């Protein structure tokens, strides 16, 4: 396929997906729906993610560049994407302008060629002045207010971290290769990476690349998984012979990590059949075949038997406010916190009876909001007499950008063996 045709495919896909993401559709679903693969998909993800991070800035620029009343939504989306590429892309400016002018044909708006050309060329002429204008608020008001209350000193750093692209973290499958051996292989291929002392299987790449270009990707040597997500399996620390429940398993990254660490009796659940199918495919690529079941974790009658679990991983649905830098479409989707916190409590209550006395449960979220994290756990401990919060050096709240990782929360709970005796 010619480079010109690839560019058209990319811009056509972006012009479909970007308005849909602004309309509250999930970016990962839109990328999958685009049917682009490899480098093309990586380019589409770069363009969409960047534009979604900077939507407020791009729209403010258009307010400066367009006369009032010119509000065609498709042309506005096209101009926002074009402006993002002019601001951050690496292609020659004339090529970017020409290609996005031609992209008006892809949406049946040939009448707008002159308008698009004029707006983009005016931006280039006045770039210094326009880029110096203070940027508008990027986060929705409901989230900004909660961050300011919860983190009165740290909220500016959280917002700044959310607006930076996330690095590419890998988890080396220790069942196939050691981290050091894989890092040496990357170095041989000119790919720079760094390790982390608390994550024995993790590598952070200095530059992202399509996963298909990673050595041993198809053979399951490595998986993409943020460092913060890798902490979950390290905290739960599965042991051979333990019966383990991964209660909300999709998309399977933590499941695979538990298996790689030696879990040999693991049941993984999810309520979504399509997500469970993707989980199965991801696990098979890495050489794992645990028991997967379509079930609601809060309803043990759909999956449990008389045998209790030694350990439970409960990675609950949440607002995902800790992974905005990786999923900037979250900025454009409302979050029903009341429903989410009710679901989190329901899941906690549902799986707790399945844990044996002396066992442990790891509750985790990719949220930074206290009502989903510390407050949720405090309420559970108040109502559950046999639950104890266990001290672990890796548990607690991690904020976005800390050590280059996403924002996550972990609480390790133990079930007392007998009344009045701590587990």
């Amino acid at each position: 396929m010619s480079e010109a045709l690839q560019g058209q495919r990319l811009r056509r896909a972006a012009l479909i997906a970007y308005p849909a993401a602004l309309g509250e559709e999930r970016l990962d679903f839109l990328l999958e729906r685009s049917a682009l693969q490899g480098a093309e998909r990586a380019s589409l993800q770069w363009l969409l993610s960047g534009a979604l991070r900077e939507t407020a800035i791009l729209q403010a620029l258009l307010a400066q560049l367009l006369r009032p009343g010119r509000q065609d939504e498709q042309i506005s989306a096209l101009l926002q994407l074009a402006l993002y590429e002019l601001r951050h892309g690496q292609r020659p400016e004339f090529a970017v302008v020409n290609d996005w002018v031609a992209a008006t044909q892809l949406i049946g708006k040939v009448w707008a060629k002159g308008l698009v050309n004029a707006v983009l060329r005016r931006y280039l002429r006045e770039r210094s002045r326009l880029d110096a204008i203070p940027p508008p608020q990027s986060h929705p008001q409901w989230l900004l207010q909660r961050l300011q209350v919860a983190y009165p000193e740290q909220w500016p750093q959280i917002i700044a971290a959310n607006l930076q692209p996330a690095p590419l973290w890998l988890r080396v499958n220790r069942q196939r290769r050691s981290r050091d051996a894989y890092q040496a292989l990357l170095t041989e291929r000119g790919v720079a990476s760094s390790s982390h002392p608390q994550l024995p299987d993790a590598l952070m790449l200095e530059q992202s690349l399509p996963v298909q270009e990673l050595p041993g990707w198809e053979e399951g040597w490595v998986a993409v998984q943020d460092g913060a997500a890798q902490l979950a399996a390290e905290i739960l620390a599965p042991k051979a012979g333990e019966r383990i429940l991964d209660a909300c398993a999709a998309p399977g990254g933590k499941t695979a990590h538990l298996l790689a660490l030696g879990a040999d009796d693991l049941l993984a659940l999810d309520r979504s059949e399509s997500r469970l199918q993707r989980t199965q495919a991801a696990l098979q690529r890495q050489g794992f075949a645990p028991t997967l079941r379509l079930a609601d974790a809060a309803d043990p009658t759909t999956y449990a038997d008389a045998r209790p679990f030694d350990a439970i991983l409960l990675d609950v649905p949440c607002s995902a406010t800790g992974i905005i830098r990786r999923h900037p479409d979250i900025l454009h989707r409302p979050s029903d916190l009341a429903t989410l916190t009710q679901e989190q409590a329901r899941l906690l209550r549902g799986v707790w009876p399945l844990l044996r006395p002396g066992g442990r449960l790891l509750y985790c979220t990719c949220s930074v909001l206290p009502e989903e994290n510390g407050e949720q756990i405090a309420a559970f401990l108040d109502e559950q007499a046999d639950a104890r919060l266990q001290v672990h050096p890796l548990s607690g709240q991690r904020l976005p950008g800390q050590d280059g990782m996403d924002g996550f929360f972990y609480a390790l709970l133990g079930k007392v063996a007998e009344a009045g005796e701590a587990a």
Side-chain angles (χ1 to χ4, degrees), residues 245 267 269 293-306 309 346 349-351 353-354:
L245 174 65
L267 172 62
L269 312 176
R293 191 163 299 170
L294 183 66
D296 176 3
D299 181 6
T301 62
T302 63
Y303 65 90
D305 53 30
F309 291 93
R346 187 181 76 93
R349 296 188 190 105
V351 301
L354 306 179

Side-chain angles (χ1 to χ4, degrees), residues 56-68:
I57 295 173
L58 299 172
Q59 291 177 346
L61 285 174
L62 282 185
Q64 295 278 326
L65 294 166
L66 278 173
R67 293 197 304 271

Side-chain angles (χ1 to χ4, degrees), residues 11-58:
R11 285 182 285 280
R12 179 182 287 109
L15 287 166
I16 293 171
Y18 182 56
L22 293 178
E24 304 176 12
E25 290 198 45
R26 290 175 59 100
L27 179 57
D28 51 354
F29 293 163
L30 293 168
L31 289 169
E32 186 172 335
R33 199 183 304 162
S34 75
L36 299 185
Q37 299 294 329
E40 279 188 290
R41 181 161 173 167
S43 295
L44 177 62
Q45 185 168 5
W46 171 83
L47 179 59
L48 293 175
S49 296
L52 289 167
R53 278 188 208 98
E54 295 193 1
T55 296
I57 295 173
L58 299 172

Side-chain angles (χ1 to χ4, degrees), residues 107-393:
I107 54 175
K109 300 288 178 76
V110 179
W111 59 263
K113 278 188 172 183
L115 172 65
V116 172
N117 183 67
V119 168
L120 297 182
R121 294 190 182 280
R122 182 184 171 193
Y123 168 74
L124 292 174
R125 289 194 307 271
E126 302 179 24
R127 183 171 190 168
S128 297
R129 176 185 70 83
L130 291 168
D131 287 351
I133 297 173
Q137 179 51 246
S138 57
H139 286 47
Q141 193 64 26
W142 72 267
L143 178 56
L144 178 63
Q145 290 175 344
R146 280 179 167 82
L147 292 176
Q148 290 172 333
V149 171
Y151 305 99
E153 297 182 357
Q154 297 162 300
W155 70 266
Q157 289 79 20
I158 294 173
I159 286 178
N162 286 345
L163 298 180
Q164 295 298 315
L168 179 62
W169 281 87
L170 304 178
R171 179 182 50 77
V172 181
N173 182 357
R174 63 170 64 185
Q175 301 293 332
R176 300 292 177 88
R177 290 291 185 277
S178 72
R179 181 185 67 181
D180 292 346
Y182 194 82
Q183 187 173 30
L185 184 57
L186 289 175
T187 302
E188 288 176 7
R189 301 195 180 190
V191 180
S193 64
S194 59
S195 59
H196 190 281
Q198 294 177 317
L199 296 170
D201 298 320
L203 291 171
M204 185 172 68
L205 272 58
E206 294 184 8
Q207 290 187 327
S208 293
L209 71 163
V211 294
Q212 289 80 5
E213 297 179 15
L214 291 168
W217 173 260
E218 296 298 337
E219 294 80 8
W221 295 0
V222 67
V224 173
Q225 187 177 33
D226 188 84
Q230 294 186 45
L231 287 171
E234 298 293 340
I235 296 171
L236 193 63
K239 302 176 182 65
E242 288 188 320
R243 190 176 192 222
I244 297 174
L245 174 65
D246 187 353
C248 303
K254 299 178 185 69
T255 314
H257 197 185
L258 290 169
L259 293 165
L261 292 181
D264 53 12
D265 184 5
L266 185 147
L267 172 62
L269 312 176
D270 203 84
R271 288 192 299 178
S272 166
E273 185 171 6
S274 61
R275 283 168 58 83
L276 202 62
Q277 289 173 349
R278 289 195 291 271
T279 298
Q280 184 175 32
L283 294 172
Q284 287 177 342
R285 182 184 63 81
Q286 297 172 69
F288 300 123
T291 302
L292 303 180
R293 191 163 299 170
L294 183 66
D296 176 3
D299 181 6
T301 62
T302 63
Y303 65 90
D305 53 30
R307 294 183 300 152
F309 291 93
D310 300 289
I312 297 175
L313 174 61
L314 185 60
D315 182 15
V316 295
C318 68
S319 64
T321 47
I323 58 173
I324 288 172
R325 63 186 196 145
R326 195 172 300 282
H327 299 281
D329 50 308
I330 293 166
L331 292 171
H332 305 280
R333 296 202 309 268
S335 187
D336 187 349
L337 283 177
T339 299
L340 285 170
T341 54
Q342 289 171 9
E343 176 66 5
Q344 292 154 8
R346 187 181 76 93
L347 287 164
L348 266 169
R349 296 188 190 105
V351 301
W352 185 254
L354 306 179
L355 186 67
R356 70 165 176 83
R360 62 201 184 281
L361 179 150
L362 180 63
Y363 174 93
C364 60
T365 77
C366 53
S367 169
V368 296
L369 301 181
E371 50 261 68
E372 300 182 276
N373 297 336
E375 293 176 12
Q376 185 73 262
I377 293 301
F380 181 73
L381 292 172
D382 283 344
E383 73 175 41
Q384 203 69 47
D386 59 350
R388 299 290 186 274
L389 182 64
Q390 296 187 338
V391 176
H392 192 285

Side-chain angles (χ1 to χ4, degrees), residues 7-9 11-13 15 99 102-109:
Q8 285 185 0
R9 281 164 50 94
R11 285 182 285 280
R12 179 182 287 109
L15 287 166
D99 286 344
T104 57
Q105 297 179 344
L106 302 176
I107 54 175
K109 300 288 178 76

